[in-house]
Every structure is written in C-alpha cells, then in structure tokens.
Amino acid sequence: METHYLPFSELLHSVTTGKPGADKYLGEPFFDYLNADPGRSALFSRAMGDVSAGLRTGIFDDYRLPAGRIVADIGAADGSVLSELLKRDADPQRQGIVFDLPTTVENAEPTLAAAGLTERVEFVAGDFFDAVPSADIYVLSHILHDWDDDSSHRILATIAAAATVGARILIVEGLVPPGDTPHLTKVLDLTMLGVLTGKERTEEEFRSLLDSAGFSLDRTLPTATPYSILEATKR
C-alpha cells in the first residue's frame, strides 16, 4: 500500500507531467526512498522475490545456461534468480556473482545460504550505472523495465564496458504483445508510469536497446509464464 498503491493517488501528475507520481507522493525518487531505510529495502526485496517467484514458476524448467564459468546477476535483489539458475545447472564448477547496491546485496545472503550455494557465489556491492564485475554471463531479471530508454542504455553500456567480446547477456522480462490482447505487461506498464520512469517493451524495442549498447539479440525464448528470456551476445 505504502510503496505502490498510494502513489497512484498522484497518477494525474504522471499523466500531465511525464514524471512518476511516486516522486511527488513520496517526496523523492522511488529507489532513493527504498534505500534510505535498510529495513524497507529488505522488505521490498523479499516482496519482489515472492511476487516474481510466483509469476516465473517453471520459467527455467527447460532452460540451459550458455557456456561460461562466471554468471553475474545484476540487480540481484534477494538472489533467487541466480540461486535457481545455479541449482538447475549441470556444471557444479559454475560460479556466481550477486551484484546490487550496498543496502540491498546483503538481502541475498540468506537465499544463497539456504540453497547451499554460498561457497560458489561472491557478493559484490556497487551501482550498475557506474561499474559491474567482469563475468561470462550477465543476468538482468526484471531490471530494465524499471528504467527509461536512456537509463537502460547506460546500464547495458556499463555491462558492455566490463564484458569481453562473446560474453552473453540474459534478459528476463515480459514482452508486450501487439494489438489489444490482454497481457500482464500492460498492467505493469501502467505501474511503471505511476511509480518509476520505466516501461514494458516489445521484442523489437529490446533489440534496438541492445544494439545501441553493442549487443546482438540472438534469440527470444517464450516460456509457459508471462515472461520471456532474451539471449544476446557482446559484439
């Protein structure tokens, strides 16, 4: 109620100014508000982990990670996506990196510990607008939809600066279908309008965004969930 529903009382502000209603309601940008309080940040990470876990149930059932020794989950929140990928991976030598803000990265430690993966994972604090660790595979799960095109380009460009040619990037997001077909992404798009500066995107919009940062979209894998997995390679 406090973080998502009540800011929608300022939806008219969003529509008339193009700025998130949450900024006006909370008095500061949404993520600044969250990260100002460690308890609030931890609560949000758990909540988003629960929501996304339910919606993505089965998304990785038939999925196999591309080749590469180190997998970095960028903006990992509670670490549940990286945990799921490593648990399902056939290669026990694969290593992981949980990367998120200093106020958030510690929220992932209990998740990885419960999965018995602590010895295979490094926890790194930082800001994905500034720099990210070097890895063979980068995972962005429900990250880019939080940000506008310019900010999303900056995130991808930061990853491109750390990645070598041939490195892979996996984007887990919903894809907006054409026409008036009802879809979860269209509800989320309205949420982004009121709370953040981001938006949901079509496959072609993701392709263009990746291309602008030096990545080539290799394939898009639909799943039994509302989400898809987009695989791209650093050129």
Side-chain angles (χ1 to χ4, degrees), residues 65 68-73 82 85-86 94-98 135-139:
L65 282 167
R69 190 175 68 86
I70 300 176
V71 183
D73 191 352
L82 181 63
L85 287 170
L86 290 182
R94 189 106 64 169
Q95 301 292 304
I97 297 174
V98 167
D136 303 302
I137 303 167
Y138 294 88
V139 179

Side-chain angles (χ1 to χ4, degrees), residues 49 72 87 93 147 180 230:
K87 283 191 299 184
Q93 301 304 313
W147 303 95
D180 294 330
L230 295 86

Side-chain angles (χ1 to χ4, degrees), residues 12 23 29 43-44 48 81 103 106 112 126 131 136 156 178 192 211:
L12 181 61
D23 288 15
L43 177 62
F44 181 76
M48 291 301 99
V81 170
T103 54
E106 62 187 26
L112 278 301
D136 303 302
L156 291 171
M192 295 301 105
D211 184 68

Side-chain angles (χ1 to χ4, degrees), residues 36-53:
D37 182 333
R40 189 185 295 147
S41 173
L43 177 62
F44 181 76
S45 291
R46 292 196 304 272
M48 291 301 99
D50 287 345
V51 170
S52 61

Side-chain angles (χ1 to χ4, degrees), residues 49 68 77 90 115-116 177 186 204 216:
K186 297 178 181 181
E204 286 308 309
S216 297

Side-chain angles (χ1 to χ4, degrees), residues 173-216:
E173 295 268 8
L175 296 180
V176 179
D180 294 330
T181 304
H183 197 272
L184 175 66
T185 53
K186 297 178 181 181
V187 178
L188 293 177
D189 202 35
L190 182 62
T191 303
M192 295 301 105
L193 174 66
V195 179
L196 295 165
T197 63
K199 63 179 183 178
E200 304 304 313
R201 295 178 172 88
T202 65
E203 180 178 352
E204 286 308 309
E205 286 174 321
F206 274 114
R207 186 187 303 276
S208 177
L209 196 56
L210 285 161
D211 184 68
S212 72
F215 292 93
S216 297

